[in-house]
Amino acid sequence: MSAKVSITEHKITVSSDTGLQTLSLRELTTELVDWMNSGRKDVYKRLLNNTPVRFFEAHLPVLVTQQPGSFGFNCANKGVGFLPKHEYLDEYINLFQETIDNTRNKPIQESLKERIKAVSDFYFKPEKMDTRLLTSLEIFEKRTYNNIVNNPLVSLHYTGALPDYTSFQLNCAVEIVGPEDPRYTFIKLARVMFEFDDFHITQRQFPHAYLFWISEVLNKTPFPVAAREDVAEETKSGAEYSWS
């Protein structure tokens, strides 16, 4: 049978043909939410200034799923965002749909201002986000989708730009939802809001949405390692290197 994921306030339950598994449910830290939103603000600023958008690392983590076979893992970059808390979901579905309808026939820069204003009203109000999960859309229904159907335990790995190289891994259980679910509706509208802009590869259909319920947050940010006497030490002097 396909595995199923259910959520209570502090717990994730995974039901599969091998039995039940219970995991803790945790929220993203304010620090990580701020890091993601800092990248989003930078992208919106570039769009409004008509300057090139760099790789959007805060939106495109590597999703690692488990599969049967010789290697056992599949990796894919996925566009990932947030979801409103339940009490704000209808509010933002209505706002996003109205904005899409109202800007459909406007000049690109004029419509862009209105669209960015609408999404900023959500993304930059963390108190309205459910920070226990992240979301994405399924497009291709290939290896990633089949892996999640059979084993919903996955990892999302983020790596930021220099000089900090902020990096972290989120271990999650994935709930799959379809068009009948209002959470799917919000996730799809958040994508469709910018679907035909140059920085997106345009897609016409989104059969499923993913809810990545967070169980573990692992810090992967690199840091200086203390020197060891038995290992050669590289030192930097101006533009040249010398070896101890």
Side-chain angles (χ1 to χ4, degrees):
M1 73 172 186
S2 299
K4 294 184 178 180
V5 173
S6 56
I7 305 298
T8 59
E9 187 175 358
H10 302 292
K11 185 171 66 176
I12 304 169
T13 301
V14 180
S15 175
S16 68
D17 53 7
T18 60
L20 292 176
Q21 184 175 4
T22 301
L23 306 168
S24 60
L25 178 64
R26 65 165 300 172
E27 294 188 46
L28 281 177
T29 63
T30 300
E31 179 183 12
L32 292 182
V33 173
D34 289 346
W35 177 81
M36 292 181 183
N37 280 340
S38 176
R40 193 176 300 276
K41 287 178 181 178
D42 180 68
V43 167
Y44 292 166
K45 180 179 178 180
R46 288 173 176 273
L47 291 173
L48 290 172
N49 291 334
N50 199 26
T51 56
V53 175
R54 300 174 299 177
F55 181 74
F56 192 177
E57 60 267 11
H59 175 62
L60 290 166
V62 175
L63 169 61
V64 182
T65 58
Q66 304 176 60
Q67 65 183 15
S70 57
F71 289 99
F73 299 99
N74 182 66
C75 301
N77 284 101
K78 289 288 185 181
V80 173
F82 287 102
L83 188 74
K85 293 177 180 177
H86 176 75
E87 59 268 31
Y88 301 113
L89 188 57
D90 287 344
E91 172 187 342
Y92 283 110
I93 287 174
N94 292 334
L95 173 62
F96 283 17
Q97 186 63 67
E98 289 172 4
T99 302
I100 291 169
D101 292 342
N102 291 339
T103 60
R104 195 180 305 275
N105 298 315
K106 291 184 178 181
I108 181 66
Q109 284 303 111
E110 182 182 344
S111 79
L112 190 60
K113 289 180 181 179
E114 292 186 39
R115 289 180 283 137
I116 288 178
K117 182 177 183 297
V119 294
S120 296
D121 186 71
F122 167 63
Y123 281 112
F124 304 140
K125 293 183 178 177
E127 69 277 6
K128 294 190 174 184
M129 297 176 181
D130 189 342
T131 54
R132 301 174 301 164
L133 78 159
L134 294 166
T135 68
S136 187
L137 286 165
E138 175 56 53
I139 297 168
F140 308 104
E141 290 187 290
K142 293 184 177 180
R143 190 171 294 180
T144 294
Y145 172 72
N146 289 322
N147 289 348
I148 290 174
V149 166
N150 291 293
N151 186 345
L153 301 184
V154 309
S155 293
L156 291 169
H157 183 249
Y158 287 85
T159 300
L162 56 81
D164 298 322
Y165 297 105
T166 298
S167 182
F168 54 96
Q169 175 179 325
L170 306 179
N171 292 334
C172 310
V174 184
E175 183 182 359
I176 301 175
V177 295
E180 72 287 348
D181 192 304
R183 296 172 296 180
Y184 168 96
T185 302
F186 172 85
I187 299 164
K188 180 179 178 181
L189 288 172
R191 162 83 189 217
V192 171
M193 186 79 74
F194 300 101
E195 182 62 21
F196 300 103
D197 291 291
D198 291 341
F199 66 92
H200 258 160
I201 297 174
T202 300
Q203 305 290 350
R204 300 290 180 172
Q205 294 181 317
F206 309 98
H208 312 283
Y210 295 139
L211 309 180
F212 298 103
W213 294 99
I214 300 166
S215 184
E216 294 181 326
V217 181
L218 306 178
N219 185 358
K220 299 287 184 174
T221 301
F223 58 90
V225 177
R228 290 169 46 190
E229 292 184 359
D230 60 331
V231 178
E233 181 180 350
E234 183 183 7
T235 60
K236 184 177 182 181
S237 175
E240 298 180 355
Y241 292 87
S242 61
W243 295 88
S244 63

